[in-house]
Amino acid sequence: MNCCLLLPFMLGIPLLWPCLKATENSQAKKVEQPVGAHGRVKRGWVWNQFFVPEEMNTTSHHIGRLRSDLDNGNNSFQYKLLGAGAGSTFVIDERTGDIYAIQKLDREERSLYNLRAQVKDITTGRAVEPESEFVIKVSDINDNEPKFLDEPYEASVPEMSPEGTLVIQVTASDADDPSSGNNARLLYSLLQGQPYFSVEPTTGVIRISSKMDRELQDEYWVIIQAKDMIGQPGALSGTASVLIKLSDVNDNKPIFKESLYRLSVSESAPTGTSIGRIMAYDNDIGENAEMEYSIEEDDSQTFDIITNNETQEGIVILKKKVDFEHQNHYGIRAKVKNHQVDEQLMEYHTEASTTFIRIQVEDVDEPPLFHLPYYIFEVLEENPQGLFVGMVSATDPDNKKSPIRYSIARSKMFSIDDNGTITTTSPLDREISAWYNLSITATEKYNIEQISSIPVYVQVLNINDHAPEFSQYYETYVCENAGSGEVIQTISAVDRDESIEEHHFYYHLSVEDTNNSSFTIIDNQDNTAVILTNRTGFNLQGEPVFYISILIADNGTPSLTSTNTLTVQVCDCDDTGSTQTCQYQELMLSVGFKTEVIIAVLICIMIIFGFIFLTLGLKPRRKQILFPEKSEDFRENIFRYDDEGGGEEDTEAFDIAELRSGTVMRERKPGKSTCAEIRSLYRQSLQVGPDSAVFRQFILEKLEEANTDPCAPPFDSLQTYAFEGTGSLAGSLSSLESAVSDQDESYDYLNELGPRFNRLACMFGSAVQSNN
C-alpha cells in the first residue's frame, strides 16, 4: 500500500514535494498498486517531511494531506496524528488525512516538529498501515529586526587624531535564518555623527573622518543603524547610540592672562618669605596642564619662583634680603611652560608665555647696623685705668639717621662712651683672665626699641710681670751622717707669665749661701736643678734646720728673678738612709696638733654662747604674750550670740509672753563711782598676773548675772567667756552699756594718770565745761 502527501500552494509558493517511496525496511503492508500519476509504482504509504512557512495564521491553516494507497475514498479509514505538537499545534482530519496548523508558528522558537501518523480501518479498528514518522520544518521569513546587544556604546579617542583613526566597532545580530536568503545579512550606516565620523557598511567599524579639538567640544553622540536584507526594500532595521569622548593631548601651552603683576615686600622680611602669587592658565587638563614657573630676567638674583603643584600657581619668594635704602623697587620677568611635552606636540609650544613682575620694597624702622660682625682688640696687661682698648661703630640704616648710644652688658672691667670708644676701668691681669668676651649694644636715641648687639673680644697681652717660683712646696731633709756631694732634693719652677718662646729658668744660690753654705746647687739646664751637700756630717742637736736661699731667673724681657727659700731638716737616719728622728718635724706636728685642738675648742665655746644669747632674747617675748593686759592696746570686747531659737512658734524653749512684755533694763550694780573703779583697777593691774582666785571670782559674777537676768538667752544656749586679765588704768573705753548719762561725772582724775592721758583729760574736761 502506498500513500501520497499532497501539499497545497501556500503563500504563493507551490509545494512540490511528492509522496516519497517507502524505504526498504519499512514495516508498511505491501500491496501491489497500479502505476501512479507520476509513472512510478506506489507501494504502501510513506511521508518524509513538510516545509511550513513561518508566521502562519493561527486559524486552521492547511499544511498538507496524508493519504493511504488503500484508501478508496469510501471513508472507511481513520487517520491519527501523534508526537510533540500533535493536537496542540497540528491537527489532522481523521477522514481525509488533511493536516492543519492551529497556532502561529515561529521558527526562532522552534523550527522542527517530529510527528507520527497512523491509519486504521473503522470497521475492524485495526491498523491498515504501520505507524510511520515524518518531519514538519518551519521555513524562515524576515520577521526579526537587527539588534545591538552591547549598547549603549562608549569610546574614547585622542583629540586631533588624523582621519581614518579607529574609534570603535559595533556589532548587531539578526535572529532570522542566515541560510534563508538575505534575511540575516546586515548593512551598517551612520544616522548622526557626520562629518566627524564614518562607519564601514559591512563591519560596523567607526572611524574618524576629520580632526577634532577637545577644547571646542569634548564629546560626541553618534547613532548607528543596522538593516537586514542588505538594505533592500522591506528590510528591518535597528539603531544604537555611541558616546565618543575626546581625550586630552598637550596641544595648548600655558598663558599668562595678566601682563603685569604688582607685589610688595618688607625690607625686614627674612629670606624664603612668600611675596605673592602669579597664575597662568592652560586649556588642557590633567598632566597636560601641569606647569613650571621660572625667572627669566632678574639681574639682582634676589627673587625666585616655585610652583605649587596642587594649585598650579607660581609663588614668588625672597631669595636674598632687600634694603629699602639701597634699592626700593625691583622688576623681574617670569615665564611658564608645561612640565612635560611630547615630541610630536612641540609645534604647539615653540614660545613660552611671560609676564612682568614689579616688586616694591616697603621701608621699616631698622635697628642700628654695626660696620663689622664682630670686633677683636688687644691690650697689654697692667696698664692703668682708662686705657684705650678700641672703637666700635654702628649707624642707623634708615633715612632719619638717628644718633646711636652704646652700652656694655655685665662688665666691670670696661666702659664705652657715646662715640663707641672702649676703655678699661681697672688694670688688667692676663694671669687672671687672658680673654674678655663683651657684648656691645647699640640703641637708637629716637626709638629705644631698636637695638643691635655684637660680640667684642679683648685679648690681654702678656708682659713679664711675674718672677718664677717653686712649682711646689718641698719637704727636704738630710741625714746626720750624709757625705759631701749627696743629692738631697731636685727642684723645678713655674712662671705664670706667658712666653712667646719656651720658658727657661736659671738657678743660683744667694751670695750669702754661696760664701758660707753647707749645700750647693747644680742647674740641669732643663728647668730643673739639684741640691747637694757641700760637707760631710751634720748635727741634729746643734743645727736641726737649714734655710737655703735660691735665686730663680726667667728668660723674659726684662728678665725677672725671685728668691725662694728651701728648708732642709737634719734627721737621724739608719744605715739604709731612712729617717729615724727629725726634731723640727716633730715640733711642727705637735704645734699643728695643738692649734687644731684650740680652734675646735673655740668653735664649741662660740656655739654655747650663741645658744645662751638666743634663749635670753626669747624670754621677754614670752612674758609679753602671757600678760597682754600690760600692753597699751585697748580694744572693745564684743560678745555675739547667734542663737535664734525656734521662732515665735517655739514655746517649749522659753516663755513667749516674757518676750512680749515691756523692756526690762538690766539693773546697774550700785557701789563704786567711775573714778573709784578706775583707781581700783589701777591697783589690780599692779599685780604680777591673774591667779586662780581672780578667775574664779570673774566666772561667779558672770554666772550670777546670767541667772538673774530675764533677758538672758535661752537656757540651752552656750555662753563663752574670754577673760581679759586684771584690767588697766584706763578701764574700758567702749560706749556699750552706756545707758546712764555721764554728764555729772568728773574727769579730773585723768590728769593724775600721767602724760599718756593728757589728750583725754583735755578732751573730756573741755566737753564737761562746755556742757555746764
Side-chain angles (χ1 to χ4, degrees), residues 473-478 488-491 519 531 548 566-571:
Y473 175 75
Y474 294 101
E475 295 181 355
T476 307
Y477 70 91
V478 61
I488 62 172
Q489 184 68 56
T490 300
I491 60 175
F519 303 94
I531 308 298
I548 306 174
L566 180 67
T567 303
V568 181
Q569 304 174 29
V570 179
C571 299

Side-chain angles (χ1 to χ4, degrees), residues 408-673:
I408 299 179
R410 300 183 299 276
S411 177
K412 297 180 180 180
M413 306 298 292
F414 301 90
S415 64
I416 189 171
D417 58 16
D418 289 343
N419 294 327
T421 302
I422 302 174
T423 57
T424 60
T425 58
S426 60
L428 304 179
D429 190 350
R430 192 205 64 82
E431 286 69 37
I432 297 177
S433 179
W435 283 90
Y436 289 90
N437 299 331
L438 308 179
S439 179
I440 305 297
T441 301
T443 306
E444 292 185 10
K445 288 185 179 181
Y446 297 156
N447 186 359
I448 60 175
E449 294 181 356
Q450 298 298 333
I451 300 174
S452 296
S453 299
I454 59 164
V456 175
Y457 307 101
V458 179
Q459 182 181 13
V460 181
L461 301 179
N462 180 66
I463 61 173
N464 194 17
D465 58 342
H466 291 85
E469 57 188 11
F470 280 150
S471 60
Q472 64 183 35
Y473 175 75
Y474 294 101
E475 295 181 355
T476 307
Y477 70 91
V478 61
C479 295
E480 284 185 301
N481 55 357
S484 178
E486 290 187 9
V487 177
I488 62 172
Q489 184 68 56
T490 300
I491 60 175
S492 61
V494 293
D495 192 340
R496 290 187 294 167
D497 290 326
E498 183 182 21
S499 177
I500 299 177
E501 300 178 355
E502 208 174 308
H503 280 295
H504 189 75
F505 303 116
Y506 306 94
Y507 300 90
H508 303 280
L509 291 179
S510 63
V511 177
E512 294 81 2
D513 291 336
T514 302
N515 297 331
N516 184 16
S517 175
S518 301
F519 303 94
T520 185
I521 187 171
I522 298 178
D523 193 340
N524 296 328
Q525 300 299 320
D526 59 354
N527 291 339
T528 64
V530 293
I531 308 298
L532 299 90
T533 57
N534 199 23
R535 71 180 189 182
T536 301
F538 293 89
N539 187 1
L540 175 62
Q541 301 298 329
E543 291 181 299
V545 179
F546 291 90
Y547 298 98
I548 306 174
S549 298
I550 301 176
L551 302 180
I552 306 176
D554 59 15
N555 60 340
T557 303
S559 178
L560 296 180
T561 303
S562 65
T563 302
N564 298 267
T565 302
L566 180 67
T567 303
V568 181
Q569 304 174 29
V570 179
C571 299
D572 184 13
C573 304
D574 55 13
D575 295 338
T576 60
S578 299
T579 59
Q580 297 290 331
T581 303
C582 292
Q583 181 179 358
Y584 178 77
Q585 185 175 4
E586 292 177 356
L587 178 62
M588 292 299 295
L589 290 175
S590 63
V591 172
F593 175 74
K594 292 178 181 178
T595 304
E596 294 177 356
V597 172
I598 293 172
I599 292 174
V601 172
L602 290 177
I603 292 175
C604 293
I605 294 173
M606 291 176 62
I607 292 174
I608 293 172
F609 275 101
F611 180 75
I612 293 173
F613 290 150
L614 181 63
T615 304
L616 294 177
L618 292 176
K619 283 186 177 181
R621 290 191 178 184
R622 293 182 179 177
K623 290 182 180 181
Q624 186 176 1
I625 295 173
L626 291 175
F627 302 101
E629 67 275 3
K630 293 185 179 294
S631 64
E632 295 181 7
D633 187 12
F634 303 100
R635 300 181 182 177
E636 297 178 355
N637 296 297
I638 301 175
F639 298 91
R640 296 181 180 176
Y641 301 94
D642 296 332
D643 194 304
E644 297 181 356
E648 293 183 357
E649 301 298 327
D650 186 5
T651 58
E652 296 180 359
F654 53 88
D655 188 4
I656 194 65
E658 292 295 330
L659 293 178
R660 293 176 178 173
S661 61
T663 303
V664 179
M665 296 297 296
R666 295 183 64 179
E667 181 180 358
R668 291 194 63 188
K669 289 185 179 182
K672 302 178 182 179
S673 64

Side-chain angles (χ1 to χ4, degrees), residues 50-61:
F50 294 127
F51 288 91
V52 183
E54 189 180 6
E55 305 292 344
M56 293 184 64
N57 196 343
T58 59
T59 58
S60 301
H61 192 85

